[in-house]
Amino acid sequence: MNAIAESLNSLRADANRLIAEVASDGREGRVFVQLRTRTRAEAIASWLGTRPTR
């Protein structure tokens, strides 16, 4: 029974990580759109005000 309980806990933890990762990717994509950037580096530079203007 302990092995089954540990497996279920592991599966739940994996599912939670996957959901969090997908949600994070979605939020990141919306940020890129709002900042009009394509990469994390561009987004960070834009946020910090160091991104060169085009």
Side-chain angles (χ1 to χ4, degrees), residues 6-47:
E6 287 178 23
S7 292
L8 288 176
N9 286 337
S10 177
L11 288 173
R12 283 187 190 130
D14 290 345
N16 287 339
R17 278 192 290 272
L18 178 62
I19 290 168
E21 184 176 331
V22 169
S24 175
D25 288 345
R27 284 190 297 268
E28 185 178 84
R30 287 190 294 275
V31 169
F32 287 173
V33 169
Q34 290 176 346
L35 294 175
R36 295 184 183 118
T37 60
R38 292 187 207 163
T39 66
R40 276 189 191 160
E42 283 181 338
I44 292 168
S46 178
W47 183 259

